[in-house]
Amino acid sequence: MSARRPRAALLAGILASGAAAGLLTAAPAHAVAGAAVKDGSYAFTAKLDIGTGDAARSCSAALVEQQWLVTAASCFADDPSAGFTVTAGAPKLTTTATIGRADLTRDNGTVAKVVELVPREDRDLVMAKLEKPVTGITPVNLGFKAPLQGEDVLVSGYGRTKDEWVPDRMHYAKFGVDAASGTSVNITGKDADAVICQGDTGAPAFRDIGGRYELVGVNSRSWMGGCLGHEDETRKGALDTRTDDVAGWIQSVSSRDLLQRSNWKYAKHIASGYFTGDSNNGKRRMDMFVAWADGEASLFKGADHDDPKYPFSAEYKLESKGSYWKNAEAVTAGRYSDTGTDGLTVRWANGKLSTYTHVDEKGFHEEKTLAEPGSWWSHARLITSGRFSANALRDDLLVLWEDGSTSMYTDTGVNGVKKETQLTLKNDGFNNAVQINAIEYTGGKTADLMIRWKDGQTQVFPGGDTKGDHGRIQITPVGYHWTHAAQITVGNFTKPGGPLNDILVRWDTTDLSYYPNVTPNAIPSKDRGPVGEVQLVG
């Protein structure tokens, strides 16, 4: 049976009169959409209050990024019965979103105005930008796989119940997928009380993968059988708008202002790695870890789409101001375990050397102390991780010491920092190095070493060999403007599955940019540096 209801009924399905509050029943509410949500659960679900007076309407939505919601475009249409066309820009009606408040009578969570709409023209879907970022609430993850027939999904929303006109609580229920095709997915409740009612338009449908929630659609229409005011209707199916096949578009819209929200002048350490997902799937860009001067620590998740202007899709605050990260003196990322994800190695101000074998949205995992406080590692000036030695199971650690000498420690995940190979002696000229990074520049089986010098030169030593001048390749000449590069990291920021030869630069101002695919062919002459700079901030 089709879940579609007549267009003429759609208007009633998404409008909720402001006078309706007087019709609340005194009896205990029993949600048609299922059970009342406990405080803190499905906190990414938002309630939208659109317009005032007789024109007021309510919808539900989902937080997909700190400053962006996704919901049904028909919530904002002038005449929803005539279609879901919405003009991009500020909403015509004043719209307020409440996020992270399962019980609307309380004052927790965030209340913010919607300041911009970005509609998707081919379906009942719109992105809604909030006036300020939402903190303390984890956005829902985006699903990239199509809903399968028979698959179970959860739906959460603030709509009407069978005996309550304007509920004070969010409710949720389990639904089964009947079919998914084109831009839509048909769903039906798994029990008699699971129905989508008025005010649930835009409500998220999501998978529960071991406590990780993955968005697959938002509600567009419903038969509303059994909802208050529709007691005579027996049909209970619903039609959702799919989001899985446009998840990349959602990311590209929601990440437009992501990097601009930070003051990059205060980014003290930057390291790139596959922290939040396995690099072997070839579908993701690298993530970026940032330790700020005030002790904050952030993780920027790599995007799944190909838009070069927006390489990251979300920011996760791992530590707050004043944390121990203000004592980090050198940071690098690498593969230190068999999990398929990357971790961090940190040289602290007190001489301690630590490795976190894994870093993700939830924080730092499995810290291993490689050298105790007060060790000789207080003399390590620069460090970088890479697969410098052939057939290594894990990344090696290359160190530039204060006296200008360099050392390499192989397979650090297993042997710690005990297996040292000295590469150069002190005063061999490497004390003029400002930054070092591992880069896949020459396309060999091992990583190459990139060094940025005080005089603006940037050079690559193929295979990580720092001995002598053999094989040294010039990337930027003496006096080049990279003297203003305050932080440099190398990774895959261009497109999913690419090599690690994009160079990201944090300048000594507030600017941030990267150079994609820096290879010998990308350097046109000895007088010029990499071309194709992509400005991210500034």
Side-chain angles (χ1 to χ4, degrees):
M1 179 184 297
S2 171
R4 185 183 298 271
R5 60 190 171 95
R7 278 285 183 185
L10 180 60
L11 181 62
I14 67 168
L15 296 183
S17 170
L23 300 178
L24 285 171
T25 174
H30 182 74
V32 172
V37 169
K38 296 180 180 179
D39 292 341
S41 298
Y42 316 135
F44 53 80
T45 309
K47 183 178 188 293
L48 295 177
D49 293 304
I50 305 168
T52 58
D54 294 339
R57 60 182 79 169
S58 295
C59 281
S60 299
L63 185 74
V64 292
E65 200 276 328
Q66 287 181 327
Q67 206 165 350
W68 287 88
L69 304 172
V70 63
T71 187
S74 50
C75 292
F76 299 93
D78 293 336
D79 182 5
S81 65
F84 51 76
T85 301
V86 177
T87 303
K92 292 183 179 180
L93 300 175
T94 300
T95 302
T96 302
T98 303
I99 310 105
R101 187 178 297 177
D103 183 351
L104 295 174
T105 64
R106 302 180 65 182
D107 59 359
N108 60 317
T110 298
V111 178
K113 289 184 178 180
V114 172
V115 295
E116 182 184 357
L117 300 177
V118 181
R120 177 81 187 189
E121 296 180 357
D122 64 340
R123 64 193 70 193
D124 187 9
L125 192 71
V126 68
M127 300 286 295
K129 184 180 181 181
L130 303 173
E131 64 179 341
K132 60 182 179 180
V134 174
T135 58
I137 299 172
T138 302
V140 66
N141 296 285
L142 295 176
F144 286 80
K145 296 180 180 179
L148 300 176
Q149 184 176 7
E151 180 180 7
D152 289 344
V153 296
L154 297 174
V155 176
S156 56
Y158 289 89
R160 188 181 301 184
T161 69
K162 71 178 182 181
D163 49 18
E164 198 171 22
W165 200 265
V166 183
D168 285 333
R169 291 198 72 93
M170 184 203 316
H171 294 84
Y172 78 102
K174 183 182 290 186
F175 288 73
V177 174
D178 297 327
S181 62
T183 62
S184 303
V185 55
N186 293 72
I187 61 174
T188 302
K190 299 290 284 188
D191 59 57
D193 285 337
V195 182
I196 293 174
C197 298
Q198 290 161 293
D200 285 326
T201 303
F206 50 95
R207 301 181 179 99
D208 182 353
I209 308 174
R212 181 183 185 273
Y213 305 121
E214 203 173 80
L215 185 72
V216 298
V218 299
N219 177 251
S220 177
R221 283 162 277 170
S222 171
W223 285 108
M224 299 189 296
C227 299
L228 185 61
H230 295 268
E231 291 83 359
D232 295 334
E233 177 60 69
T234 60
R235 292 167 293 186
K236 297 183 177 182
L239 186 75
D240 275 19
T241 298
R242 287 176 59 182
T243 57
D244 63 282
D245 59 327
V246 292
W249 173 80
I250 293 174
Q251 276 193 351
S252 65
V253 172
S254 63
S255 60
R256 293 187 318 186
D257 304 317
L258 176 65
L259 297 176
Q260 278 74 12
R261 293 202 296 259
S262 298
N263 189 340
W264 290 94
K265 185 176 181 179
Y266 299 104
K268 185 179 179 181
H269 303 287
I270 299 177
S272 60
Y274 288 104
F275 302 117
T276 61
D278 192 336
S279 63
N280 296 324
N281 63 18
K283 297 180 180 179
R284 295 194 54 249
R285 301 182 189 182
M286 270 189 159
D287 311 309
M288 180 173 65
F289 170 78
V290 181
W292 306 90
D294 62 4
E296 277 192 303
S298 299
L299 184 63
F300 291 85
K301 185 176 181 179
D304 299 83
H305 58 81
D306 289 332
D307 192 331
K309 295 181 181 179
Y310 310 114
F312 306 105
S313 62
E315 179 186 6
Y316 302 99
K317 294 288 188 181
L318 304 185
E319 292 291 346
S320 302
K321 294 179 180 178
S323 83
Y324 55 94
W325 277 98
K326 65 183 180 181
N327 298 317
E329 291 296 322
V331 180
T332 185
R335 186 63 51 87
Y336 307 124
S337 69
D338 298 324
T339 62
T341 56
D342 292 336
L344 293 171
T345 295
V346 187
R347 198 273 283 176
W348 304 96
N350 62 1
K352 180 181 177 180
L353 187 72
S354 300
T355 288
Y356 300 93
T357 58
H358 179 54
V359 181
D360 59 19
E361 302 96 322
K362 297 180 181 179
F364 308 95
H365 306 281
E366 296 185 43
E367 181 184 9
K368 296 181 179 180
T369 299
L370 304 182
E372 297 291 342
S375 75
W376 72 94
W377 279 89
S378 59
H379 300 290
R381 189 163 66 84
L382 301 173
I383 60 175
T384 190
S385 292
R387 202 66 56 89
F388 295 116
S389 54
N391 302 316
L393 298 176
R394 297 166 180 84
D395 282 357
D396 309 311
L397 184 65
L398 195 146
V399 185
L400 194 155
W401 302 95
E402 287 179 346
D403 63 4
S405 63
T406 59
S407 302
M408 185 170 69
Y409 298 86
T410 57
D411 205 7
T412 53
V414 174
N415 298 314
V417 293
K418 297 179 180 179
K419 191 176 181 181
E420 179 185 11
T421 300
Q422 190 166 29
L423 301 178
T424 62
L425 301 176
K426 64 180 180 179
N427 300 322
D428 273 0
F430 287 91
N431 49 357
N432 292 316
V434 178
Q435 284 135 358
I436 59 175
N437 279 277
I439 185 172
E440 295 178 4
Y441 186 79
T442 59
K445 294 183 179 180
T446 57
D448 309 310
L449 176 66
M450 187 183 79
I451 299 180
R452 206 272 283 176
W453 306 94
K454 289 181 181 179
D455 60 8
Q457 291 186 86
T458 306
Q459 297 173 325
V460 167
F461 296 82
D465 180 13
T466 62
K467 295 180 180 180
D469 292 336
H470 178 69
R472 188 181 298 197
I473 303 171
Q474 198 86 1
I475 293 182
T476 62
V478 174
Y480 198 66
H481 68 273
W482 278 22
T483 53
H484 298 287
Q487 293 289 331
I488 292 178
T489 189
V490 174
N492 165 25
F493 309 114
T494 305
K495 67 177 184 179
L500 310 185
N501 60 2
D502 302 329
I503 301 177
L504 188 144
V505 182
R506 194 274 286 180
W507 303 97
D508 56 11
T509 58
T510 58
D511 294 356
L512 187 74
S513 60
Y514 77 92
Y515 299 84
N517 197 28
V518 178
T519 65
N521 294 330
I523 312 299
S525 75
K526 65 179 181 179
D527 299 322
R528 295 182 59 186
V531 295
E533 180 182 10
V534 178
Q535 194 79 17
L536 300 176
V537 178

